[in-house]
Amino acid sequence: MCSIYFLLLAILLPCCFEILSLSCSTVMKDTLRYLAGIAGPSGYGSKTTAQQVADNSSAPLHRLTAIITGATSGIGAETARVLAKRGVRVVIPARDIKKAAELKEGIENENPNVEIMLFEIDLSSLASVKRFCTQFLALGLPLNILINNAGIFSQNLEFSEDKIEMTFATNYLGHYLMTEMLMEKMVETAEETGIQGRIINLSSVIHSWVKRDCFSFTQMLNPNNHNATRAYAQSKLANILHAKEVARQLKARNAKVTINAVHPGIVKTGIIRAHKGFITDSLFFIASKLLKSTSQGASTSCYVALSPQAQGLSGKYFADCNECNCSALANDELEAQRLWRQTRALIHRRLQYQFPTSS
């Protein structure tokens, strides 16, 4: 239970530290900007909703296909709803197929013309991720957008069927394999259609809490001492580093596909809703003015996935629908390359999977 309180503080305290490092005039200006939802350079701000972003997109979205993980609840569900409503074919790989079917039915009730496809997956299982990708590729469909949205916060030390710490396996490893297996399809689709492919990794401001000496690949796989908040932060840092390295590789190939990481903001998602209590509720009451709605939380993913303003941007980090700075460690190119190579080697050992040579 303590880990949930630490997570809440981890989400809120970076805002406090940032405020303390600024002058009083800047504090007032930035605080008012956030609370009032004043737009940044993109024309959007903290109060922007996913629907507003989609409505302002002039692209012919009915020709697009998007895969969204973690789309049965919270930010992922809202992202799926908004994209489907705008005519995007939405593919939802989900662990809970019944819940995914209920989401699909709800969206179809709003708009009977939507196209939503459901697949079963366990993101913590490399074999399951490989099976889903194989099934999807066998359909011969195009793929324009991949939103690696799913995430868990595991309070207890749990391991996946691959004997890997559950948070790291679900939040990072599963998405790494999915991205690698679907990459060539995205590059191919972009070349054939002329429409830039876009990959979005969900991260969090909490990534900045990870120090270099605590970012050990072997320890993240099988930690000696489990700390839930640290494990979550490490997985979110890994998601940014993954985006940075893949962006570098795509640029070297001159591929028409981008990849970026986003911080959705402070949203009361299912990760924390499951942990009720006086302290938790009190912290949320104190933070109520900072909390975003689910639609506001999904806005940055939709912005990076759909907005013409995000065209050509790759290897970047976004929050409140605007490009912003991430931590020095998240910007470390050598660290990103090391993590990518270590992950690739691990998956090859566990699955005997031969990655495409072009990647």
Side-chain angles (χ1 to χ4, degrees), residues 34-320:
Y34 180 85
L35 294 177
I38 298 173
S42 69
Y44 300 111
S46 62
K47 301 300 182 184
T48 299
T49 66
Q51 191 66 62
Q52 289 172 326
V53 170
D55 288 344
N56 289 335
S57 175
S58 58
L61 304 186
H62 65 278
R63 292 192 293 160
L64 304 183
T65 299
I67 292 177
I68 307 172
T69 67
T72 57
S73 64
I75 296 169
E78 177 65 7
T79 303
R81 185 190 72 80
V82 169
L83 265 60
K85 183 179 178 182
R86 281 301 311 275
V88 177
R89 178 195 289 122
V90 175
V91 178
I92 301 177
R95 183 167 186 168
D96 189 335
I97 286 294
K98 181 180 178 181
K99 197 171 181 180
E102 291 171 353
L103 172 71
K104 178 182 178 181
E105 182 180 1
I107 297 175
E108 288 174 339
N109 287 338
E110 288 185 32
N111 189 337
N113 297 320
V114 299
E115 184 177 359
I116 300 175
M117 304 175 67
L118 307 181
F119 291 83
E120 189 170 3
I121 194 174
D122 176 359
L123 266 170
S124 72
S125 164
L126 296 175
S128 180
V129 173
K130 181 182 178 183
R131 183 164 53 250
F132 158 72
C133 292
T134 301
Q135 290 171 343
F136 174 78
L137 292 172
L139 297 176
L141 294 173
L143 181 58
N144 308 93
I145 300 168
L146 172 60
I147 302 180
N148 293 319
N149 170 84
I152 65 167
F153 179 88
S154 182
Q155 288 197 75
N156 302 316
L157 178 58
E158 301 177 87
F159 291 95
S160 68
E161 66 177 40
D162 299 302
K163 309 303 180 185
I164 296 168
E165 192 277 318
M166 188 65 76
T167 301
F168 194 67
T170 304
N171 297 2
Y172 169 68
L173 284 178
H175 286 132
Y176 176 104
L177 177 57
M178 183 178 294
T179 302
E180 288 295 310
M181 289 193 67
L182 299 178
M183 182 65 72
E184 294 312 307
K185 170 55 69 174
M186 295 196 71
V187 172
E188 174 188 301
T189 300
E191 290 177 348
E192 292 178 351
T193 64
I195 301 173
Q196 185 180 75
R198 303 191 188 189
I199 304 169
I200 295 91
N201 283 358
L202 267 286
S203 183
S204 169
V205 68
I206 196 178
H207 81 271
S208 62
W209 278 43
V210 182
K211 304 304 178 186
R212 190 177 298 275
D213 58 359
C214 293
F215 197 69
S216 163
F217 189 70
T218 55
Q219 280 297 303
M220 288 186 287
L221 296 177
N222 187 6
N224 291 330
N225 297 300
H226 179 67
N227 179 294
T229 302
R230 181 177 61 206
Y232 183 77
Q234 288 170 333
S235 72
K236 294 303 178 179
L237 171 60
N239 287 341
I240 300 178
L241 290 169
H242 176 231
K244 297 280 187 180
E245 173 57 17
V246 174
R248 184 191 69 79
Q249 295 179 14
L250 288 168
K251 182 179 180 180
R253 294 177 58 185
N254 198 30
K256 295 181 176 63
V257 177
T258 63
I259 178 170
N260 293 285
V262 305
H263 166 51
I266 309 168
V267 185
K268 189 174 183 180
T269 66
I271 287 178
I272 297 174
R273 270 201 305 269
H275 304 279
K276 299 287 186 179
F278 174 75
I279 298 178
T280 306
D281 293 342
S282 298
L283 284 172
F284 272 119
F285 176 77
I286 295 171
S288 61
K289 297 301 181 182
L290 297 175
L291 293 176
K292 286 187 174 187
S293 68
T294 302
S295 185
Q296 290 167 346
S299 64
T300 305
S301 293
C302 289
Y303 172 79
V304 178
L306 302 176
S307 176
Q309 293 171 279
Q311 180 82 12
L313 297 178
S314 195
K316 307 298 183 182
Y317 176 69
F318 292 82
D320 296 332

